[in-house]
DNA sequence: ATCCCGCTCCGCCGCACGGGGGAGACACCG
DNA sequence: CGGTGTCTCCCCCGTGCGGCGGAGCGGGAT
C-alpha cells in the first residue's frame, strides 16, 4: 500500500528554521515539502492555494501570527489541513491557544528529527488516533472559562470584588464583615453595589453571575 | 544513535487482539513487546514488575477495567509509563476519562498497523511533542467540572433536582413554583430537602454546591 | 480649592427565606 | 397487607437580606 506522499507547507519567518525543517522532512520517504511561507498572511494564501495535508506553523511571524493564521485556515478551508503549531518555548497558554485555534498538534523547536517526522506522519493520518475531536471540545471549554469575563467585572471596585468573592464562598454578610474586619453595614453597602453592577436581584444571582463570568478563577 | 528498544506491555482480555498487536509491534525495529496482561489487575502488577515504556491498555477487561488500571498505574509508579488506551468505539467520554486517568494517548482498534506503530513510537518519546502537560491540565479542569459529581447528587429525588436547577437559575421560591406549576409551599419543602442533602445553609450555598459539582451540565 | 470616588458606617422597613413540625395521596415492594 | 419513599401542601416564627436615604473621611484629579 504505497500511499501518496504527505504534502507539507512550512510557515516560519526564519530562513534557517525553514531550511532545517525542509532538510529533515524531505529526506523522509512519503513526506514532501510543497511550499513555504514567511508570514502569517502568506501562510494563509499559500495553504489555500496548495491544499497541503500538514502545515508546520510558527507562532511568531510578521503581519499575522501563527495562531490567527491557524484560525483563519481552519475556519475557511474544508476540509482543513492538519496544522502543527511550532514554538520555541513550552508555554502552556500557547498550547491552549493552539488547540482552541484548531491546531491538530503542538511541537517544540528543540524536538529532535525523529520526533518531528513521527509527529508529521501521525498528524497526517489523524482520523482515528491520539486525541481527536475530544481535545477540541476540551479546549473549547477552556476558552469559555477564561475568555469573555463579562463587562461588569471591570466595573467592580477592589472592595466589591472582595465581597463578591466571599459571597461566592457562601458567607453571610455578617461573616464577610468579620473576615474583612469591617462593620456589617459596610458589607451591606458593598453587596448592594455588587447587585446593582451585576444586575443581580439577590446574592444568589450575583454568585451565579460570578461563576458564569469565570470571576472566581480570574480574580 | 541507536536507542534501546521501546519496551511494551499489552493489556487486553482477548487473545486475538494481543496476538495481532504483538505481531505488528514485534515486527518493528526498536519496539519490543515484553509482557501481556488479560485483566486490569494483572496489568497493574505486570507493569509494576516490568516497568515498560509504553502500555497498550484495553478499556473493557475483567476485574478492573482499563481506566482504573491506568489510574492506579499512573498514581503509583514514578515515573509512570506512557499508557495508550485502546478501545473499539469512538466514544468521547472514553477519551475524557482516559485523559483524566492519566493516559498519554487514545487509540481505536480499527486503526491500521502504521498508525499503531507510529503512535507507540511517538508516545514512547513524548517529552516535548504533541500534547504534553497542557492536555492533562485541560483534562483535570474537565474532571473538576463533571467527574466526582459529589455524593449528594445521587441522593436528590427528581423533583429536588428540578428545584435545584431553578435555584441555580436565580429564581425565587415563588418563581420556581410558577414554573413547576405547584404551590409555593411545595417548593419550600423541596428547597429544604435540597439544603439538607447538600449540606448547604441557604440557597446560595446550595447553588455554589451545584456549580462545584458540575450538577448543571450533568443533570 | 473643588469635585468626584471609594470606603466606611447609620437607621428604618418589608419581605423572602429557612427552621420546625405535621399531613394527605399515591406508588412500589416485600 | 404494611412499610417506605416521593410529591404535594399547610401553619407559625425568627431573621438575614435587600431597598431606601443619609453621612463622614480620605485620596486623586483638574
Amino acid at each position: 500500500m504505497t500511499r501518496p506522499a504527505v504534502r507539507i507547507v512550512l510557515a516560519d519567518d526564519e530562513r534557517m528554521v525553514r531550511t532545517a525543517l525542509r532538510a529533515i522532512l524531505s529526506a523522509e520517504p512519503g513526506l514532501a515539502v510543497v511550499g513555504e511561507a514567511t508570514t502569517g498572511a502568506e501562510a494563509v494564501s499559500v495553504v489555500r492555494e496548495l491544499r497541503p495535508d500538514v502545515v508546520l506553523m510558527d507562532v511568531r511571524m510578521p503581519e499575522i501570527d501563527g495562531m490567527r493564521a491557524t484560525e483563519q485556515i481552519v475556519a475557511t478551508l474544508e476540509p482543513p489541513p492538519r496544522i502543527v503549531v511550532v514554538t520555541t518555548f513550552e508555554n502552556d497558554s500557547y498550547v491552549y491557544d493552539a488547540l482552541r485555534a484548531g491546531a491538530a498538534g503542538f511541537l517544540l523547536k528543540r524536538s529532535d528529527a525523529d520526533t518531528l517526522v513521527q509527529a508529521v506522519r501521525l498528524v497526517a493520518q489523524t482520523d482515528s488516533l491520539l486525541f481527536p475531536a475530544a481535545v477540541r471540545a476540551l479546549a473549547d471549554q477552556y476558552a469559555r472559562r477564561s475568555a469573555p469575563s463579562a463587562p461588569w467585572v471591570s466595573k467592580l471596585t477592589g472592595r466589591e470584588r472582595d465581597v463578591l468573592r466571599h459571597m461566592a464562598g457562601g458567607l453571610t454578610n455578617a461573616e464577610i464583615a468579620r473576615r474583612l474586619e469591617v462593620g456589617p453595614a459596610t458589607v451591606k453597602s458593598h453587596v448592594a453595589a455588587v447587585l446593582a453592577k451585576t444586575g443581580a436581584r439577590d446574592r444568589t444571582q450575583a454568585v451565579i453571575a460570578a461563576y458564569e463570568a469565570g470571576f472566581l478563577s480570574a480574580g
Side-chain angles (χ1 to χ4, degrees), chain A residues 107-193:
Chain A
L107 209 51
L108 298 181
K109 285 191 179 172
R110 64 163 165 275
S111 305
D112 59 30
D114 275 11
T115 303
L116 170 64
V117 170
Q118 285 170 20
V120 170
R121 282 197 203 281
L122 248 197
V123 160
Q125 58 182 42
T126 279
D127 279 334
S128 61
L129 70 96
L130 283 180
F131 305 114
V135 174
R136 295 292 305 283
L138 233 40
D140 286 347
Q141 279 191 344
Y142 174 83
R144 238 171 271 127
R145 264 210 169 299
S146 61
S149 226
W152 55 260
V153 174
S154 55
K155 298 192 168 183
L156 293 180
T157 69
R159 214 48 169 166
E160 285 158 4
R161 289 167 201 266
D162 291 340
V163 170
L164 177 53
R165 252 186 291 278
H166 286 94
M167 287 166 70
L171 303 188
T172 66
N173 289 342
E175 288 167 341
I176 297 173
R178 281 194 287 276
R179 297 268 182 115
L180 297 181
E181 293 181 316
V182 295
T186 304
V187 175
K188 282 192 70 174
S189 296
H190 292 314
V191 169

Side-chain angles (χ1 to χ4, degrees), chain A residues 35-120:
Chain A
E36 296 185 3
T38 61
T39 71
E42 197 186 334
V44 174
S45 63
V46 167
V47 167
R48 217 188 293 272
E49 192 184 330
L50 296 178
R51 294 300 198 116
D53 304 304
V54 175
V55 181
L56 292 186
M57 180 82 73
D58 189 23
V59 273
R60 275 189 305 210
M61 281 190 297
E63 297 182 45
I64 305 180
D65 69 24
M67 294 297 177
R68 280 189 211 288
T70 300
E71 273 178 37
Q72 289 189 17
I73 291 171
V74 170
T76 59
L77 263 65
E78 189 54 40
R82 299 279 164 181
I83 299 181
V84 177
V85 171
V86 183
T87 186
T88 305
F89 303 105
E90 182 158 18
N91 185 329
D92 265 11
S93 76
Y94 271 170
V95 180
Y96 292 128
D97 291 343
L99 290 174
R100 190 168 56 219
F106 190 85
L107 209 51
L108 298 181
K109 285 191 179 172
R110 64 163 165 275
S111 305
D112 59 30
D114 275 11
T115 303
L116 170 64
V117 170
Q118 285 170 20
V120 170

